[in-house]
Amino acid sequence: MSPARNAATKSSEKPADLGVLPEWNLADLYPGLDSPEFAADLKRAEGECRAFADKWRGKLGAAAKGASASKKLADAVKGYEALQDLLGRIMAYAGLVYAGNTADPKRAKLYGDVQEKMTDASAHLLFFAVELNLVDDALIEA
């Protein structure tokens, strides 16, 4: 049988019934889609990103100067890293839930909604890398 004819025959065959496929255990991230922990972290991400921006936007240059510059910059970087961890955890969970069954409209909606919320929240953090890069290297080294 020619390869083209063989491919045509295979494409008309009914796909194999694989039964129920395994599902990832994502309990280490969140107990479930509708869990209070997941909802709380979604809400917390937006608020904490706004608060971080209010605290640090336009102030990193000044924070890099003075007697307590090391502590101030370290606090800013630790806060930024904690927010990145939170946003990453939320997006990892939503992405893995969606990847587990991309045909499920509930999962697709969740993924899209979460992606939009995390994009909005992380927009408050865009200033950080720019401002940190503007701090004189000599001040960072000191």
Side-chain angles (χ1 to χ4, degrees):
M1 184 179 289
S2 73
R5 181 168 165 84
N6 191 19
T9 303
K10 286 185 180 179
S11 67
S12 65
E13 292 176 10
K14 183 179 177 190
D17 181 10
L18 301 175
V20 178
L21 297 176
E23 187 81 24
W24 284 314
N25 178 358
L26 302 175
D28 286 341
L29 294 171
Y30 295 102
L33 291 173
D34 300 323
S35 70
E37 295 89 345
F38 185 61
D41 275 358
L42 281 172
K43 186 175 182 178
R44 183 169 67 101
E46 173 67 25
E48 287 188 12
C49 287
R50 281 183 191 273
F52 182 84
D54 290 344
K55 180 176 182 176
W56 293 109
R57 185 181 291 129
K59 300 171 187 161
L60 286 177
K65 299 173 184 170
S68 60
S70 295
K71 182 181 179 342
K72 288 179 184 176
L73 284 180
D75 288 346
V77 170
K78 285 178 187 175
Y80 180 78
E81 288 175 344
L83 287 170
Q84 290 298 321
D85 286 348
L86 175 62
L87 298 176
R89 175 188 177 113
I90 292 168
M91 279 310 304
Y93 180 73
L96 290 170
V97 165
Y98 174 64
N101 183 355
T102 58
D104 181 353
K106 181 179 178 183
R107 292 176 188 221
K109 180 173 178 1
L110 170 90
Y111 182 65
D113 290 349
V114 168
Q115 199 168 33
E116 181 180 355
K117 288 178 183 179
M118 293 307 95
T119 298
D120 291 346
S122 66
H124 297 290
L125 305 178
L126 294 174
F127 77 93
F128 189 76
V130 173
E131 285 190 28
L132 191 60
N133 284 327
L134 291 175
V135 173
D136 186 358
D137 287 345
L139 290 174
I140 300 272
E141 293 293 326

